[in-house]
Amino acid sequence: MNFPTVKKVTTHVLAEMKLRGEKITMLTAYDYSMAKILDYAGIDVILVGDSASNVMAGYDTTLPITLDEMIYHGASVVRAVKRALVVVDLPFGTYQGNSKEALNSAIRIMKETGASAVKLEGGEEIKESIQRILSAGIPVMGHLGLTPQSIHKFGTYVVRARDDKEAQKLMNDAILLNELGCFAVVLEKIPAALAEKVTKSIKIPTIGIGAGKAVDGQVLVLHDMLGLTTEFSPRFLRRYHNLFEEIKKAVIQYIHDVKTMDFPNDKEQY
Ligand code: KIV
């Protein structure tokens, strides 16, 4: 298999893509094998999301995953990737306490995974943490709107920033992240009109998930778009495959072949 000879995606490449109106593609990955496929396919950004807490570890929320676990997933992904920009989520509880702790968490991610950037959820509340991480030369991706690490504050996963007050705060936070020097911002589950307004108001790329088409790029959770997860069907999710059923079919066939002594056959032995 030939790897497409394309230059490595950097934060500068993403800035150029916004300037020329080329959409940015981002998907999550948490392991070597999947990350390799995404990279070969030509994805621009791979997010080692803390959604690993849900889809890899089976927790109900993103809160339980630890920094050590994120580092394990991040390093596995980085070993597979030649072209895409790899961004790793700072997990819940590793950056909100104080900016020194945030910097130490970000440094561990950069040193121990080899990733190129970190992502943090929030705006004004975590300003000092973002500043300190950026001042160490670590690129930061922001994340506004539905921020799953705050699910116990929201109480539900419904669309955020529908009312004027929350929409204005989101706009202020997006402008702040831009001014602080973040290189991009994820906008999750907000009205498309607001996402468009934010995208036009800031210079850094916006990457939407449930934020309409007038953003600079799109992100989905890999396991959702491949149909590996079945219980989660928000309106914004387009399923490109039904891998749960495909894999189940293959396993049923394997069980059948072993039980009936069809596998292994004469050619499949030594
Ligand atoms: O953790 C994650 O997968 C994310 C995406 C939903 C943006 O943050």
Side-chain angles (χ1 to χ4, degrees):
M1 205 182 331
N2 287 328
F3 189 81
T5 47
V6 196
K7 70 173 179 177
K8 177 105 181 108
V9 179
T10 63
T11 57
H12 301 283
V13 169
L14 301 185
E16 286 161 14
M17 288 171 79
K18 172 157 182 155
L19 280 178
R20 61 172 183 269
E22 180 183 344
K23 295 290 183 189
I24 296 164
T25 58
M26 177 159 113
L27 282 171
T28 64
Y30 320 97
D31 68 281
Y32 177 87
S33 304
M34 288 288 189
K36 195 162 194 171
I37 300 171
L38 267 52
D39 202 39
Y40 267 85
I43 202 81
D44 297 314
V45 185
I46 295 180
L47 172 66
V48 184
D50 58 358
S51 49
S53 182
N54 307 95
V55 299
M56 300 301 287
Y59 290 114
D60 281 345
T61 72
T62 59
L63 275 66
I65 199 159
T66 65
L67 186 56
D68 284 340
E69 287 165 342
M70 288 305 296
I71 287 171
Y72 167 80
H73 289 298
S76 306
V77 166
V78 168
R79 282 193 286 273
V81 172
K82 292 193 169 70
R83 177 184 171 273
L85 180 84
V86 179
V87 182
V88 179
D89 263 340
L90 280 185
F92 177 68
T94 65
Y95 61 96
Q96 296 94 341
N98 62 64
S99 62
K100 204 168 165 197
E101 187 189 13
L103 177 60
N104 289 338
S105 305
I107 286 176
R108 278 202 62 200
I109 288 197
M110 299 301 281
K111 265 186 181 296
E112 296 177 42
T113 70
S116 300
V118 296
K119 177 164 81 60
L120 285 73
E121 295 182 5
E124 178 67 37
E125 319 75 34
I126 55 158
K127 180 178 165 188
E128 279 175 29
S129 293
I130 293 174
Q131 275 172 321
R132 199 147 184 176
I133 294 170
L134 285 168
S135 68
I138 301 172
V140 173
M141 176 180 272
H143 185 155
L144 301 172
L146 177 64
T147 46
Q149 291 179 13
S150 304
I151 186 58
H152 294 301
K153 183 173 95 181
F154 299 145
T156 135
Y157 287 100
V158 294
V159 180
R160 304 304 314 174
R162 276 198 190 278
D163 66 68
D164 290 350
K165 194 169 164 222
E166 199 180 331
Q168 189 56 55
K169 168 156 172 39
L170 190 141
M171 176 62 90
N172 294 346
D173 281 341
I175 291 169
L176 176 71
L177 295 180
N178 187 153
E179 283 169 356
L180 290 176
C182 291
F183 72 90
V185 58
V186 168
L187 300 177
E188 180 163 354
K189 222 170 174 188
I190 62 170
L194 175 62
E196 178 170 10
K197 217 169 125 194
V198 170
T199 300
K200 287 181 174 155
S201 306
I202 61 177
K203 291 208 165 71
I204 57 173
T206 56
I207 316 279
I209 173 165
K213 60 167 75 165
V215 284
D216 300 307
Q218 297 289 336
V219 56
L220 285 175
V221 169
L222 184 67
H223 289 54
D224 296 336
M225 63 85 83
L226 290 179
L228 273 164
T229 50
T230 52
E231 62 283 353
F232 179 69
S233 289
R235 188 199 300 190
F236 68 75
L237 174 61
R238 184 177 293 182
R239 287 199 197 279
Y240 287 84
H241 223 302
N242 188 352
L243 278 193
F244 186 95
E245 281 308 319
E246 291 299 316
I247 293 173
K248 194 177 84 185
K249 253 193 264 168
V251 173
I252 288 171
Q253 186 64 50
Y254 170 74
I255 293 169
H256 173 268
D257 291 354
V258 171
K259 300 264 188 205
T260 59
M261 291 178 67
D262 178 75
F263 175 79
N265 64 25
D266 291 348
K267 288 186 194 144
E268 291 164 329
Q269 65 185 12
Y270 300 98

